[in-house]
Structure formats: structure tokens, C-alpha cells
Amino acid sequence: MTEKTASVHWQGQGKKGQGQISTETSALKAYPYGFGSRFEDDRRGTNPEELLGAAHAACFTMAFSFACDKAGFATELVDTQAKVRLTAEGDGFVIDRIALTLSAVVPGITEAQFQEIAEGAKKACPLSRALASVPEITLSARLENAR
């Protein structure tokens, strides 16, 4: 059993406030976020959806690589992107879609095996399971030739 910690410090009111996100490993240390980086085009900070996408892509990628290994295939290269969509709903917002895009080099695997393992990893990844309330989690998986 493992437990990881992240924390946020927020100062100010509502849209004018600014936050700082930190992680126990210091991968993020007082990293800024706020209204501008979440709802506008302020690239000086991050936002919860971007962090969620990074976490989901990382979790799925590991689950895919581990599943390939279990099936007897060694992954050479795996790239995953996660697009998280935040939409207005009533007086608030909801994450209504996460689109995962996978590109991988896995020597010796067939396209059918690749797609089956990728889909299984999407379903089994702990983040996918935690995000089960998201109405739509899609996966586009492309098998690349060895480089």
C-alpha cells in the first residue's frame, strides 16, 4: 500500500486569488495556478485538469507497459497524451471527456494484441478506475514500427 501527498496554498479571493501546488517529491514546489491558467491563456501556471491529464497519462502508460511485459512483449517506447475537457454545467463545471492517445513501439506484437492490451490497460489503470465517473474516456492507440 502506498500513499502520496500533494498540497495547495491559496491566497486571495475567487478569480483574483492565486494558488501554489506542491508535491511531496518536490516535482512541483510552490508551482503557480489560478483563474488565468485554468480558464484563460495564462501559461505561467498549471491547472487541475492539466495535472489530472498528466497523472492519467502516466498511470495508463505504466499499466500498458506492465501488461505488455506480462504478455511477453517488451515495450521499447511508449508515448501517451491525455486531453482533459472541462465544460460548463449549470452554475459549475464538469470534466466530461478524457481522450488518451497512445503511440508505442512494441516489437513482435500483432495489431490485434496491441489493441487488446491497450484497451485492457485503459480499463485496469488505477487512475482510469478512479475517474470512472467521467462520462467518456477514449483511447486511440497506434502501433509504431521499431526504430
Side-chain angles (χ1 to χ4, degrees):
M1 187 174 275
T2 183
E3 192 170 270
K4 303 297 179 190
T5 303
S7 60
V8 168
H9 174 76
W10 185 268
Q11 282 187 258
Q13 182 178 355
K15 292 180 180 180
K16 295 178 184 176
Q18 286 293 309
Q20 297 177 333
I21 301 170
S22 298
T23 59
E24 125 184 36
T25 63
S26 294
L28 296 176
K29 187 168 183 155
Y31 203 85
Y33 86 106
F35 183 84
S37 62
R38 190 171 194 191
F39 296 105
E40 296 173 343
D41 198 28
D42 183 349
R43 303 274 180 181
R44 294 172 293 173
T46 189
N47 58 72
E49 293 73 36
E50 181 177 63
L51 295 170
L52 180 70
H56 196 183
C59 184
F60 166 75
T61 299
M62 289 180 78
F64 173 76
S65 186
F66 295 169
C68 283
D69 194 44
K70 184 176 180 181
F73 301 104
T75 54
E76 281 187 10
L77 182 120
V78 182
D79 289 313
T80 304
Q81 179 184 69
K83 290 185 179 181
V84 178
R85 186 170 72 183
L86 182 71
T87 59
E89 182 177 271
D91 291 337
F93 295 89
V94 63
I95 292 171
D96 70 343
R97 182 176 69 199
I98 301 173
L100 298 170
T101 302
L102 166 70
S103 176
V105 176
V106 186
I109 197 169
T110 67
E111 181 67 30
Q113 291 167 319
F114 174 78
Q115 293 297 331
E116 182 180 340
I117 290 171
E119 193 58 42
K122 181 187 86 149
K123 291 176 184 169
C125 149
L127 264 275
S128 289
R129 293 171 60 189
L131 296 166
S133 66
V134 174
E136 182 182 357
I137 299 178
T138 64
L139 172 63
S140 173
R142 187 176 71 239
L143 178 61
E144 301 285 343
N145 293 323
R147 295 176 184 169

